[in-house]
Amino acid sequence: MSVIHRLAGAAYGTHLGDQIALVSVPLVAALVFDASAELIGILVACQSMAHLLGSIPFGMLVDRWQLRSLAIASSLIALAGFTGAGLGVWAGTVVWFGAGITLAGFGTVLFALTALSILPKAAPATGLARANAAIETPRAFCSFAVPLAIGLLVAGISPPLIYAAAACAALGALLFTASLLTFETSQAPRVSRIAQILEGGRYVLAHKLLLAISLCAIFWNLAFAALLVVLVPAIRDLYHFDPGAFGVALSAFGLAAFTGSWLSGRISDKLAPRFVLLFGPGSSAIAAAGILLIGPESPAVQLYACFFFIGFGPSMWLIAQNSVRQLVTPPALLGRVNAVIQTAIYGVRPLGALIGGAVAGAAGPEVGIVFVALAFAASFAVSLFSGLRRVVSYESLKAQNAV
């Protein structure tokens, strides 16, 4: 079994457990702990906060420590977290439940950063996009399948068993990560932690492609987070759809992400990266314009189609930009560069949600959707007017980085 196949197997286990937690946390909080809306928000934030708090320190570890050890550690952390969450549910202790969910989130973050640094060591430049697709497809598949499964089965399953299933998924990931070989580690001289972080940040700001990727992702995530907030009142007050349309739209998004990731693994060597790097944010901007055209008499399938394209193109873009990041960044800096970009992306999501809620609350969901469309358009504009439109091949990026 190749390194890519072992990482893909670990990715299935990691993201299966992560998605189970992501979808079931609000349900379990309400059903088991009779949690208020504020407490549910805190518990959901516990899992997502791992990206904000863990990305930078884990990025420094990835640049210094043995990658196989970190991959194993990520699975152990997730396993301990899901086990603790399940015990918290069983004992009826919301503090232990929240702590377990938070710990499991750190495991997911560490795995993602470690995998991004392993791939360039395991695949040539010509096969890097295909390798990234192999790692991204499990996350996309789980984001589609798990919400449907949880929605259908949660009423008939004991809540502790949900987290037992997540723990089993993490255990499966552990078996795959334990089978990885060791990788060469950086021998660069040690400097202070602050200097390490600043070095990664300076590299991102100074590199035109990495800066464009970061800005494109920031505007996109700002728009998507705002869309999720604005969509609920829009479905109720503007479109007059059934409330279940929100869940169906998210499932369409997940299906699109899986389809785009699967397709990327098969056409990445036949398509110039620049087309994907423009198509991803461009399709989102077009889909947002389609949402603007939805009215009270429109069929709900129009909303689902828009969400499909918001998921399809960006999933392909994610794989392409991951490959660009890995090729233009020196191996000794890759963990910190990835961490800086991930922190920026996940840091803007709460801001997007706050802006979306404030705009929709003050001016109505129509204006909120206009803001979403403008933010998606800004994401596309960054790609269109940057060096991303000139990336003709991954091999050329590898050659430039070697000079």
Side-chain angles (χ1 to χ4, degrees):
M1 185 181 294
S2 69
V3 171
I4 306 301
H5 288 136
R6 294 174 187 180
L7 273 180
Y12 272 108
T14 299
H15 293 301
L16 180 60
D18 185 58
Q19 285 294 317
I20 288 174
L22 182 67
V23 176
S24 63
V25 162
L27 296 173
V28 171
L31 295 174
V32 176
F33 300 109
D34 194 24
S36 64
E38 292 81 3
L39 180 56
I40 292 175
I42 291 172
L43 290 172
V44 171
C46 283
Q47 189 181 20
S48 60
M49 281 297 289
H51 289 276
L52 284 175
L53 300 179
S55 290
I56 294 295
F58 286 159
M60 292 189 292
L61 291 180
V62 166
D63 284 339
R64 295 290 183 181
W65 287 22
Q66 172 53 236
L67 294 174
R68 176 179 181 271
S69 301
L70 292 176
I72 294 173
S74 73
S75 301
L76 287 171
I77 291 170
L79 177 60
F82 291 132
T83 301
L87 291 174
V89 173
W90 178 74
T93 306
V94 70
V95 173
W96 280 109
F97 175 66
I101 290 300
T102 304
L103 183 61
F106 280 112
T108 302
V109 173
L110 179 57
F111 174 80
L113 291 173
T114 303
L116 284 174
S117 289
I118 288 176
L119 289 179
K121 300 177 182 294
T126 53
L128 195 53
R130 186 183 295 271
N132 277 299
I135 304 304
E136 178 63 18
T137 299
R139 187 199 62 78
F141 174 77
C142 292
S143 71
F144 162 66
V146 171
L148 288 179
I150 293 292
L152 292 173
L153 301 176
V154 68
I157 297 180
S158 173
L161 291 180
I162 295 176
Y163 292 96
C168 288
L171 181 60
L174 176 61
L175 296 178
F176 280 103
T177 54
S179 68
L180 290 171
L181 303 176
T182 57
F183 299 91
E184 182 181 352
T185 57
S186 171
Q187 300 300 318
R190 295 189 177 275
V191 295
S192 72
R193 290 179 173 85
I194 297 298
Q196 291 180 55
I197 295 171
L198 292 176
E199 186 180 8
R202 283 194 299 267
Y203 192 84
V204 171
L205 292 175
H207 199 290
K208 293 180 179 179
L209 293 182
L210 292 180
L211 181 59
I213 285 171
S214 301
L215 292 175
C216 180
I218 285 171
F219 280 120
W220 192 94
N221 280 275
L222 187 76
F224 188 70
L227 176 60
L228 294 183
V229 174
V230 170
L231 189 61
V232 174
I235 286 175
R236 182 190 61 215
D237 302 331
L238 294 180
Y239 311 145
H240 307 300
F241 293 159
D242 184 275
F246 181 76
V248 177
L250 290 183
S251 293
F253 175 86
L255 176 62
F258 171 70
T259 306
S261 299
W262 178 85
L263 186 62
S264 287
R266 282 146 185 81
I267 67 170
S268 59
D269 54 349
K270 302 178 179 66
L271 199 62
R274 61 184 178 184
F275 293 118
V276 179
L277 293 170
L278 292 177
F279 173 68
S283 63
S284 296
I286 294 172
I291 295 177
L292 281 172
L293 298 176
I294 298 176
E297 304 301 323
S298 301
V301 70
Q302 184 175 339
L303 177 65
Y304 307 151
C306 291
F307 262 75
F308 184 90
F309 282 104
I310 289 175
F312 180 71
S315 67
M316 300 178 72
W317 181 90
L318 178 63
I319 290 167
Q321 65 89 17
N322 274 343
S323 301
V324 171
R325 271 199 255 172
Q326 291 159 336
L327 288 170
V328 303
T329 306
L333 271 176
L334 187 55
R336 280 165 287 168
V337 165
N338 286 331
V340 167
I341 295 176
Q342 291 292 94
T343 301
I345 291 172
Y346 284 99
V348 81
R349 288 187 178 183
L351 179 61
L354 290 173
I355 294 176
V359 172
E366 305 101 319
V367 181
I369 293 174
V370 171
F371 168 77
V372 168
L374 290 174
F376 275 131
S379 176
F380 175 55
V382 168
S383 293
L384 185 61
F385 297 108
S386 73
L388 295 177
R389 73 176 188 273
R390 293 188 291 271
V391 181
V392 295
S393 71
Y394 295 118
E395 296 94 317
S396 63
L397 293 177
K398 184 68 174 179
Q400 292 173 20
N401 195 36
V403 174

